Amino acid sequence: MYYIIGKRKSGVGNMEFIANEGKNIEIEANNKIYLRHAIKTRFIKQGESYVDVFKEYALPIYKEGDIISASEKIIALCQNRIVKREDIKIGFWAKFLSKFASKPDTGVGVGETIKMQYAIDEVGLLKVLWASFASAVTKLFGKRGVFYKIVGPEVSGLDGFYANVWEEYGDIGIKIPENPNGVCDEIKEALGISCMIVDANDLGCEILGYSSDIEFETEELIGMIKDNPAGQGHEQTPLILIREKE
């Protein structure tokens, strides 16, 4: 294994595996060793075909038994699952409730008025008020995340409205993908690629869906990418190839 600036490389057979800075190519999971290759892509824009993206970047290096992990963000962008800042009208309750919410370092949360307003628009004011009350009470006992558990994945999964990493995401919110299992099965049928869609950051990850041919349990899949090999900055590697080490 050898190194270049900002990357880590390892040659395995005819395949050269590359990891993002601070990430490892190898990981131990399910009593096996897996190799992860960070696939560099162009900037994926709204309305592109996710099948075409996989065909261009994943298919040339994919082999039977591999799994491709895809960022939920690029799938949602391809599906045009976005909401524009200009279409969200911030009201009194969003301004008031957001003052009491935490502001995570990993992206925009309901501590920002625009996401609080999105939550109100999405699930209704009464549910947001209940979630806010329940969250305030449970925080006293050291329990966090109750607000998002109550309001649900459409709110908790909203990304974007955050230009610190990508300026293009400053004025749009990116929703979670629609029918992620179906998307993965569509890619498998079109290209023969086993894949999963992942919502990940450096604090953890969630498997949103995977193709029906994959026999691993959800926790086993998480173990292969629990360190977020795609990175959390400007890596532009939304696809990760995962291969069992021989």
Side-chain angles (χ1 to χ4, degrees), residues 73 85 107-108 114 157-163 169-174:
K73 193 181 283 88
R85 183 182 293 273
V108 62
I114 192 164
L158 185 72
D159 208 340
F161 294 132
Y162 188 72
Y169 298 157
D171 290 320
I172 62 170
I174 305 170

Side-chain angles (χ1 to χ4, degrees), residues 9 16 34 92 157 196:
K9 287 187 175 184
E16 181 181 63
Y34 294 93
F92 166 80
M196 58 182 174

Side-chain angles (χ1 to χ4, degrees), residues 63-168:
K63 74 174 189 178
E64 189 69 27
D66 293 346
I67 297 174
I68 300 294
S69 170
S71 162
E72 93 291 354
K73 193 181 283 88
I74 66 162
I75 302 299
L77 284 169
C78 289
Q79 293 178 325
N80 282 310
R81 293 271 293 163
I82 68 158
V83 57
K84 297 179 181 179
R85 183 182 293 273
E86 63 191 45
D87 293 333
I88 297 181
K89 309 304 179 185
I90 297 174
F92 166 80
W93 283 109
K95 294 176 183 177
F96 177 74
L97 294 172
S98 63
K99 295 177 182 178
F100 304 98
S102 59
K103 297 186 178 182
D105 295 331
T106 53
V108 62
V110 290
E112 302 292 338
T113 55
I114 192 164
K115 187 163 183 180
M116 185 64 80
Q117 186 62 55
Y118 174 80
I120 293 170
D121 294 344
E122 187 70 24
V123 303
L125 177 59
L126 287 179
K127 180 172 277 193
V128 170
L129 287 171
W130 165 241
S132 299
F133 173 76
S135 176
V137 172
T138 53
K139 279 181 182 177
L140 296 175
F141 301 94
K143 187 175 182 179
R144 297 184 176 274
V146 171
F147 180 93
Y148 291 112
K149 184 172 290 187
I150 293 173
V151 296
E154 286 292 343
V155 175
S156 63
L158 185 72
D159 208 340
F161 294 132
Y162 188 72
N164 290 28
V165 178
W166 293 106
E167 183 179 348
E168 291 87 348

